[in-house]
Amino acid sequence: MSEERKIRVLVAKPGLDGHDRGAKVIARAFRDAGFEVIYTGLRQTPEMIVSAAIQEDVDAIGLSCLSGAHMYLFPRIVELLRERGADDVVVFGGGTIPDEDIATLKEAGIAEIFTPGTSTSVAIDYVRTHVRQRA
Amino acid sequence: MEIIERIRRQDVRAIARLMSLVENNAPEATAALKELYPITGQAFIVGITGPPGSGKSTLTDQLTKEFRRDGKTVGIIAVDPTSPFTGGAILADRIRMQQHSLDAGVFIRSMATRGHLGGLARATGDVVNVLDAAGKELILVETVGVGQDEVEVVKTADTCVVVSVPGLGDDVQAIKAGILEIADIFVVNKADREGADKTVTELQAMMGLGPGRSDWSPPILKTVATQGQGIAELVQGILAHRAHLDRRGLRQMRQRERSRALFLELLQEQGTRRLLERASANGTLEHTIERIAKREMDPYSAVEELLAKAGL
């Protein structure tokens, strides 16, 4: 039987900021790249994001955070994925993230951080090359 | 098979993974579906369909809340369209269902149509079976926003809820013909808007024109889903329809129809595929087509010959 594999990505906005323009731009860019994008809207807790990611069996989670709480929220999501045995999901982030935070976030298991001004095609290529190869 | 055990234990990851395999048409999906099939057929399946923006997701969310209050476990399948140009999709129905995202008694899965027509994805029926096997008592299937004849949900659901809203234009344009005929329950959502009563009257008039299908007359219910208005009545309507199906033995009849459709569809799909594989061996298919094009052979004999070679 032929296999018709699609890349599925959850685009999520953890935390309390109400600006989802960036998240919507990346969601559209992913769709136009042929991905299936699950968009869950604003003000998500890490628990909600991880629960959705597991039910939707996504290959990657893209997090957008403009509130400054990324140092708590992003690592917490990676931690919850690990707890639930889903650490093969690639987690990347974007938004207003100071350069000096990036190394710490990567240490915590965030695979990549895209800072403002990054072209959407960079994020698309990143997802294509880094999602798990699986049956 | 390990995955089967995990699904029966309601392991969320295993359920989600099997759904992906089913969607991707992976060979191991068929093996798992074979094993699970005997324990399916337990869930009650409600289809929710209607035009884009009519409030299907919000209604699904509110129905879930109501059934959860009753202690029922709920599975939700929300279908959104795949872009025919890029093959991608934005699946955003979960936005309206956030209140259930941490409830272990609710499993929500978004599906893209992946080019399938009719309002559902090709694999929706199989994904329903996975949720059914995982013990979800009620399964809500939300179609893509549909127009007039995307009525495939009727092949999947026990009860079909057709949603309309006031102000869609003359004579409930958006839900005439096919979609009108599949409704077991009509919902006029956003009923706080002007024209709601007119929409109800028009639906009543159109139903009066159609041939009566059975002794079930679809109720027309007004809701304001965003405020939870009319949801209790909708639940009552669904339960009443379910009781009607049980009383008249119609549920078995619908299941039989569904089994027939599923079997014939699989037969057609696999039969055609195998015959084509056979016909394509050593480029014979192209050769035959070439001969038909040159009028050296007629297509009728070509088909008969191929089937005869396959022993049919």
Side-chain angles (χ1 to χ4, degrees):
Chain A
M1 212 179 286
S2 67
E3 181 135 356
E4 301 134 31
R5 173 115 163 73
K6 288 263 184 196
I7 294 176
R8 285 168 71 90
V9 183
L10 177 70
V11 172
K13 283 222 37 101
L16 296 175
D17 76 85
H19 305 281
D20 62 352
R21 201 182 131 73
K24 283 178 172 160
V25 167
I26 197 74
R28 279 198 55 172
F30 283 163
R31 180 198 63 187
D32 292 342
F35 301 172
E36 289 183 356
V37 183
I38 292 99
Y39 183 61
T40 50
L42 296 168
R43 297 186 191 87
Q44 303 276 298
T45 65
E47 286 78 7
M48 290 162 90
I49 290 168
V50 168
S51 172
I54 289 176
Q55 289 183 357
E56 299 288 355
D57 191 32
V58 294
D59 303 290
I61 305 177
L63 300 168
S64 161
C65 181
L66 303 171
S67 71
H70 52 269
M71 292 304 273
Y72 166 72
L73 294 166
F74 289 9
R76 177 74 185 134
I77 286 161
V78 173
E79 189 184 312
L80 286 168
L81 284 169
R82 275 191 197 131
E83 275 173 24
R84 300 192 54 180
D87 46 358
D88 52 342
V89 178
V90 177
V91 180
F92 59 94
T96 50
I97 294 169
D99 287 344
E100 59 266 32
D101 288 352
I102 293 177
T104 317
L105 288 171
K106 286 191 171 173
E107 258 166 54
I110 319 301
E112 192 55 88
I113 296 290
F114 300 104
T115 46
T118 310
S119 155
T120 53
S121 62
V122 174
I124 290 165
D125 287 341
Y126 181 83
V127 171
R128 280 222 179 94
T129 44
H130 287 83
V131 298
R132 60 195 154 170
Q133 302 296 317
R134 63 173 201 210
Chain B
M1 193 185 245
E2 190 218 344
I3 192 165
I4 305 297
E5 269 318 300
R6 288 175 65 195
I7 280 160
R8 296 177 81 150
R9 284 202 315 266
Q10 315 195 8
D11 175 333
V12 177
R13 266 222 111 188
I15 297 168
R17 185 58 58 87
L18 178 55
M19 287 174 170
S20 300
L21 293 172
V22 165
E23 276 201 288
N24 293 339
N25 223 348
E28 53 269 56
T30 312
L33 289 170
K34 282 182 191 169
E35 296 257 341
L36 290 175
Y37 191 77
I39 56 167
T40 60
Q42 305 301 312
F44 192 74
I45 303 156
V46 177
I48 307 200
T49 191
S54 55
K56 296 180 295 297
S57 298
T58 310
L59 277 165
T60 302
D61 173 66
Q62 291 286 334
L63 280 173
T64 303
K65 189 171 160 191
E66 204 66 24
F67 280 104
R68 285 301 289 147
R69 199 175 286 162
D70 236 23
K72 295 266 184 292
T73 53
V74 179
I76 299 171
I77 300 166
V79 188
D80 268 327
T82 293
S83 158
F85 302 106
T86 67
I90 292 186
L91 313 172
D93 293 316
R94 287 186 89 101
I95 293 179
R96 321 247 179 255
M97 304 176 189
Q98 290 193 25
Q99 59 173 319
H100 308 295
S101 59
L102 294 179
D103 180 349
V106 179
F107 191 110
I108 306 171
R109 180 70 172 218
S110 313
M111 291 183 86
T113 54
R114 298 191 183 181
H116 189 82
L117 303 174
L120 298 178
R122 176 195 58 81
T124 300
D126 289 335
V127 170
V128 166
N129 277 344
V130 175
L131 285 171
D132 189 342
K136 292 287 176 273
E137 295 162 283
L138 178 81
I139 298 171
L140 301 170
V141 180
E142 182 194 330
T143 72
V144 299
V146 299
Q148 301 175 340
D149 64 352
E150 293 119 316
V151 296
E152 201 171 65
V153 67
V154 77
K155 286 197 268 172
T156 305
D158 295 302
T159 298
C160 278
V161 177
V162 173
V163 186
S164 185
V165 284
L168 281 177
D170 277 352
D171 294 323
V172 260
Q173 263 292 346
I175 57 160
K176 65 184 181 187
I179 205 168
L180 196 71
E181 291 154 36
I182 64 161
D184 298 305
I185 297 171
F186 283 107
V187 166
V188 177
N189 191 34
K190 308 190 186 184
D192 53 345
R193 287 198 185 167
E194 201 185 312
D197 289 323
K198 185 164 170 268
T199 306
V200 171
T201 313
E202 281 165 357
L203 281 171
Q204 278 165 344
M206 288 185 82
M207 272 164 46
L209 295 173
R213 275 185 313 168
S214 65
D215 54 356
W216 174 261
S217 157
I220 303 170
L221 305 171
K222 289 199 280 186
T223 59
V224 184
T226 49
Q227 290 163 41
Q229 281 175 36
I231 303 301
E233 290 79 0
L234 177 54
V235 168
Q236 285 315 308
I238 290 169
L239 294 176
H241 184 250
R242 181 188 183 156
H244 164 79
L245 292 177
D246 284 340
R247 202 164 45 239
R248 303 291 311 269
L250 293 170
R251 210 168 146 199
Q252 287 89 318
M253 215 174 88
R254 284 196 180 196
Q255 286 197 354
R256 204 186 154 90
E257 282 306 309
R258 225 179 287 152
S259 306
R260 182 193 305 279
L262 180 65
F263 177 66
L264 292 180
E265 209 175 283
L266 281 173
L267 186 63
Q268 208 167 17
E269 189 186 300
Q270 298 196 21
T272 311
R273 189 169 45 81
R274 287 194 194 175
L275 281 169
L276 274 176
E277 275 166 16
R278 180 183 288 248
S280 316
N282 323 318
T284 43
L285 181 67
E286 285 311 312
H287 181 65
T288 308
I289 290 170
E290 192 63 34
R291 289 183 62 207
I292 295 171
K294 286 184 180 152
R295 299 298 191 272
E296 291 168 11
M297 189 177 199
D298 70 88
Y300 315 100
S301 311
V303 168
E304 279 171 13
E305 208 171 280
L306 174 69
L307 291 176
K309 269 192 206 155
L312 294 169

